Amino acid sequence: MNKKLFYFIPYTLWLVLFVGAPIILMLLQSFMSIDGQATLANYQIFFGSGTYLRMMFNSVWYAFLITVITLVISFPTALFLNTLRHKDLWLLLIILPTWINLLLKTYAFIGILGHNGSINSFLQFMGFAPQQLLFSNASFLLVAAYIEIPFMILPIFNALAEIDNSLINASYDLGASKWQTLRHVILPLSADGIRAGIQAVFIPSLSLFMITRLIGGNRVITLGTAIEEHFLVTQNWGMGSTIGVVLIIAMIITMFVTRERKKGGNKY
Amino acid sequence: MKKLIYAALAIILATSLLWVGSIHFERAQNAETGTNGNKVLNLYNWGDYIDPALITKFEKQTGIKVNYETFDSNEAMVTKIKQGGTSYDLTVPSDYMIQKMKKENLLLPIHKSKITTLKYIDKRFLNLAFDRHNKYSIPYFWGTLGIVYNDKYVKRHEISQWNDLWNSKYRDKIMLIDSARDILGLSLISQGNSLNDKSSADLQAAKGKLDALMPNVKAIVADEIKMYMVQEEAPIAVTYSGEAAEMIAQNKHLHYIVPTKGSNEWFDNLVIPKTAKHIAAAYQFINFINQPENAKQNAEYIGYATPNAKAKQLLPKSIRTDQQFYPSAKTLSKLQVYQDLGQKKTQEYNDLFLEFKMTNR
């Protein structure tokens, strides 16, 4: 028993120092006014201001859209990947972009979407007038979805790979159509992967901020933008922490809603 | 398992080789420039804000090794200086930030008797409101806030004042620099108010006027504004003279104007933070960089306006008389300098700016 405890020390230390302590510091900070007095004012400002509530709405709404877009693309992709012969190789190609720095990828998109970028050059070549692509909601969603998509495909792919093929064959043998098999066999069995994918995409999407400026041209304002400003420009760490706490609560809610439910319930 | 251990050993071997190599080259470099480990200067500056050739020259001349680190905003710089960590010997804040750092006791006074090159600085840049008698700071560069336009899409006489930005024909054509004070400031000036206005009513009015500008605003971006303008993503941008100089160097269709009815004039000055450990080296550097020859070389490299009168004389006539970067006396008389607003008002400016950003088109 003592030995077991001993092995736990590094992990516990890590948790306490790098997970527990920062969250507690942030919580304390969020109850501080700019003069260092304990106060609830930051929360009052947050929930009493149309600006912050709209930002909160933007954050959740865009995170939701990004999650839906990635999910809609990822599930069929993962299904398809599982039928291929060299699936590990194909999977590697999907994971490959995550090895490249996020900022570099974003800058690459500026080159693609820009006024004189690849897409517009192509449009002009085809005889169309160049379009304004950058600084639009659509381009923001495109880039954000592109960046998040490997994190959605990976867990779904793994969940699908674990499904016993004989179950699917049994479903066909019993007269189920392709659609019925998908709906009643594959989907429930891959639900854990989908949940993990949603968590891995929705939660980071809540606090995106660099892309909102570079691709969105600050036309899409989310809470990440406000946190950056409070910590760097106005030095109002209390308010910045309050927004951070609100985001953490939003993330906890997400985890709770998408948590793994006890098996055996009647889900259909 | 065995494979894993071999892989780990290989990584350790490779990194130690690289480490030995880097030490070797550092030594070789030190021998070449005559520097050694004890004589250093920790210079904390804006990115790309000095001619690197001058750093080498300084190292050769004095035997002091310069560690050059960069920041991208006044606020980020102060946060890092406050937290200690590295003890920077010299840094380059802007006017209002010098005032704030002074208030917070973050600066060491400068003994002017030791600054032998002070005589070269134009009197206009000395004894300014943010640092009377230059107790803490020595001018480095100065510049303005203005408008960059592309002559392919906008004619020369079409834009000369801030109010021209509101023209409905520029719908979705303007890029703004992502800075609360500058953007609210241009709105304040266009309504005849001061850049340092603290009246909430005036600020509300300025923000209201900005909301009307939103249909013309294509994007609100930071450093990327240079790249976007050079690539002709937008025909008009509101930005600083120094950024404009870099854009113009890369795209000849771009031009810069300072609104003649008023704008912001800013100063970046050299200061010695409280945490400095190599003060003698800091003085040497201040004197070195203000030698007319060096200041001239630096100004040519960076493209900002130099406060060094002697160095300005040495610059080619085409630069010296360029009204874009050395505006006429008449325009100069209309320019205003930022003052530290205090935390509360800074917050108000930023909150209003955030609200402005969220305005729907």
Side-chain angles (χ1 to χ4, degrees):
Chain A
M1 190 61 208
N2 269 335
K3 224 174 187 175
K4 244 188 193 163
L5 272 177
F6 178 75
Y7 290 131
F8 257 124
I9 290 177
Y11 183 61
T12 322
L13 269 179
W14 182 273
L15 267 187
V16 169
L17 285 176
F18 299 116
V19 181
I23 291 180
I24 290 170
L25 280 176
M26 195 166 90
L27 254 175
L28 290 177
Q29 188 84 248
S30 75
F31 291 104
M32 292 270 208
S33 74
I34 193 82
D35 319 307
Q37 306 279 322
T39 172
L40 280 172
N42 292 332
Y43 288 90
Q44 276 166 355
I45 292 172
F46 187 94
F47 290 106
S49 125
T51 318
Y52 284 121
L53 292 181
R54 276 242 325 273
M55 251 185 265
M56 179 88 197
F57 168 79
N58 278 350
S59 299
V60 175
W61 175 240
Y62 280 106
F64 172 75
L65 286 180
I66 294 166
T67 313
V68 170
I69 293 171
T70 49
L71 183 60
V72 167
I73 299 173
S74 298
F75 193 79
T77 311
L79 262 183
F80 176 67
L81 278 179
N82 259 307
T83 63
L84 294 176
R85 264 191 50 218
H86 303 287
K87 49 185 174 184
D88 285 335
L89 181 72
W90 292 108
L91 193 65
L92 186 75
L93 288 181
I94 283 173
I95 300 171
L96 209 63
T98 61
W99 298 355
I100 300 165
N101 184 290
L102 185 121
L103 269 181
L104 285 179
K105 284 187 281 191
T106 313
Y107 270 91
F109 267 103
I110 294 174
I112 296 171
L113 299 170
H115 196 70
N116 300 315
S118 326
I119 294 183
N120 272 324
S121 305
F122 178 72
L123 281 179
Q124 268 168 303
F125 175 73
M126 300 295 285
F128 296 102
Q131 298 292 312
Q132 177 63 41
L133 301 168
L134 274 177
F135 315 126
S136 62
N137 293 348
S139 62
F140 168 70
L141 285 174
L142 169 76
V143 176
Y146 167 81
I147 283 164
E148 301 289 356
I149 220 162
F151 305 106
M152 184 65 97
I153 293 185
L154 205 59
I156 299 181
F157 172 86
N158 286 333
L160 289 174
E162 276 170 24
I163 296 177
D164 192 344
N165 254 329
S166 52
L167 289 174
I168 295 166
N169 290 333
S171 165
Y172 288 140
D173 288 346
L174 292 169
S177 68
K178 264 198 156 162
W179 170 249
Q180 281 170 320
T181 309
L182 182 71
R183 171 79 182 75
H184 294 295
V185 180
I186 299 177
L187 212 54
L189 284 173
S190 60
D192 285 346
I194 296 175
R195 258 185 233 121
I198 291 176
Q199 287 175 359
V201 170
F202 186 81
I203 291 176
S205 301
L206 273 178
S207 53
L208 284 175
F209 71 94
M210 272 313 282
I211 311 172
T212 56
R213 193 182 83 209
L214 281 167
I215 301 288
N218 265 327
R219 307 309 309 253
V220 179
I221 302 284
T222 60
L223 288 175
T225 317
I227 295 182
E228 188 196 14
E229 188 187 279
H230 281 304
F231 275 91
L232 283 179
V233 184
T234 59
Q235 312 271 307
N236 189 348
W237 290 23
M239 194 65 220
S241 303
T242 302
I243 304 173
V245 170
V246 172
L247 270 179
I248 288 185
I249 292 170
M251 290 169 189
I252 291 172
I253 293 173
T254 317
M255 294 290 274
F256 182 77
V257 171
T258 55
R259 77 192 183 282
E260 207 175 320
R261 292 185 177 79
K262 284 267 179 291
K263 293 262 161 69
N266 189 357
K267 278 192 282 194
Y268 328 124
Chain B
M1 192 62 197
K2 229 177 191 171
K3 254 189 195 165
L4 217 63
I5 291 173
Y6 283 140
L9 282 177
I11 290 172
I12 291 171
L13 191 71
T15 46
S16 35
L17 273 175
L18 286 172
W19 185 66
V20 169
S22 74
I23 287 193
H24 171 77
F25 282 115
E26 203 173 310
R27 280 222 186 107
Q29 204 185 7
N30 284 348
E32 193 188 311
T33 53
T35 53
N36 65 53
N38 305 326
K39 287 169 80 181
V40 290
L41 174 74
N42 295 319
L43 177 58
Y44 196 30
N45 197 353
W46 299 79
D48 205 20
Y49 205 29
I50 188 168
D51 182 354
L54 283 173
I55 292 187
T56 320
K57 190 177 167 192
F58 177 74
E59 288 182 331
K60 270 205 180 126
Q61 240 175 44
T62 59
I64 294 169
K65 167 120 187 59
V66 177
N67 296 319
Y68 188 69
E69 274 189 58
T70 61
F71 55 85
D72 57 8
S73 78
N74 277 303
E75 286 75 14
M77 179 269 293
V78 170
T79 308
K80 211 161 162 197
I81 283 189
K82 267 192 198 162
Q83 279 163 357
T86 318
S87 52
Y88 298 107
D89 302 312
L90 209 53
T91 184
V92 194
S94 310
D95 34 60
Y96 72 100
M97 196 46 88
I98 295 175
Q99 197 184 355
K100 193 174 166 200
M101 291 174 87
K102 236 165 53 178
K103 241 187 262 172
E104 295 179 15
N105 281 322
L106 291 171
L107 300 178
L108 287 179
I110 291 177
H111 299 291
K112 278 197 291 303
S113 57
K114 290 193 202 161
I115 309 292
T116 51
T117 51
L118 199 62
K119 56 177 185 269
Y120 300 124
I121 309 272
D122 189 336
K123 292 277 175 296
R124 195 170 85 74
F125 302 102
L126 297 174
N127 193 22
L128 292 165
F130 61 86
D131 184 23
R132 284 286 168 214
H133 309 295
N134 288 75
K135 232 180 128 184
Y136 297 94
S137 71
I138 303 293
Y140 185 60
F141 279 107
W142 67 280
T144 51
L145 179 75
I147 303 168
V148 176
Y149 67 90
N150 189 320
D151 62 18
K152 278 202 228 164
Y153 310 98
V154 179
K155 285 190 202 74
R156 183 171 184 82
H157 60 273
E158 283 180 330
I159 292 188
S160 64
Q161 303 303 340
W162 294 121
N163 273 327
D164 296 331
L165 295 177
W166 272 263
N167 191 328
S168 59
K169 72 176 168 192
Y170 300 134
R171 197 183 162 83
D172 204 22
K173 291 214 175 353
I174 302 173
M175 278 198 192
L176 301 178
I177 193 91
D178 187 9
S179 153
R181 276 204 88 167
D182 294 320
I183 302 305
L184 270 167
L186 76 86
S187 187
L188 282 168
I189 286 189
S190 76
Q191 294 177 317
N193 289 318
S194 153
L195 272 181
N196 297 304
D197 203 325
K198 287 191 179 180
S199 136
S200 293
D202 287 352
L203 287 173
Q204 279 295 345
K207 191 248 167 193
K209 187 168 179 190
L210 274 183
D211 287 349
L213 180 65
M214 206 37 145
N216 286 1
V217 176
K218 185 189 271 277
I220 303 168
V221 286
D223 283 340
E224 313 83 62
I225 205 165
K226 268 185 284 193
M227 172 185 70
Y228 283 134
M229 285 306 286
V230 171
Q231 292 177 358
E232 306 190 350
E233 194 65 41
I236 303 170
V238 174
T239 188
Y240 317 114
S241 55
E243 303 258 296
E246 280 178 54
M247 294 175 198
I248 292 167
Q250 292 175 53
N251 187 334
K252 293 288 165 231
H253 290 290
L254 298 176
H255 306 274
Y256 178 73
I257 60 137
V258 183
T260 47
K261 285 188 190 151
S263 183
N264 165 239
E265 179 182 28
W266 49 260
F267 307 93
D268 287 341
N269 285 16
L270 293 158
V271 301
I272 305 176
K274 261 250 150 78
T275 52
K277 291 234 171 72
H278 311 95
I279 293 165
Y283 277 104
Q284 267 178 295
F285 190 84
I286 295 175
N287 278 324
F288 170 84
I289 206 70
N290 276 314
Q291 289 297 340
E293 250 327 296
N294 299 336
K296 175 219 163 209
Q297 187 183 336
N298 210 15
E300 267 184 312
Y301 176 84
I302 300 170
Y304 282 51
T306 177
N308 192 311
K310 200 82 186 204
K312 193 180 159 194
Q313 284 171 18
L314 296 175
L315 284 169
K317 193 161 181 252
S318 60
I319 298 181
R320 208 168 52 200
T321 56
D322 189 343
Q323 294 248 331
Q324 299 181 95
F325 303 107
Y326 294 96
S328 67
K330 201 172 149 237
T331 309
L332 280 178
S333 67
K334 293 280 171 57
L335 299 178
Q336 304 174 35
V337 184
Y338 289 138
Q339 286 158 21
D340 179 29
L341 295 166
Q343 204 281 329
K344 286 253 154 59
K345 281 290 155 186
T346 307
Q347 180 87 59
E348 194 174 330
Y349 270 74
N350 278 283
D351 286 349
L352 285 172
F353 188 55
L354 203 58
E355 273 177 47
F356 157 67
K357 282 190 198 168
M358 295 190 58
T359 323
N360 290 322
R361 287 196 233 206

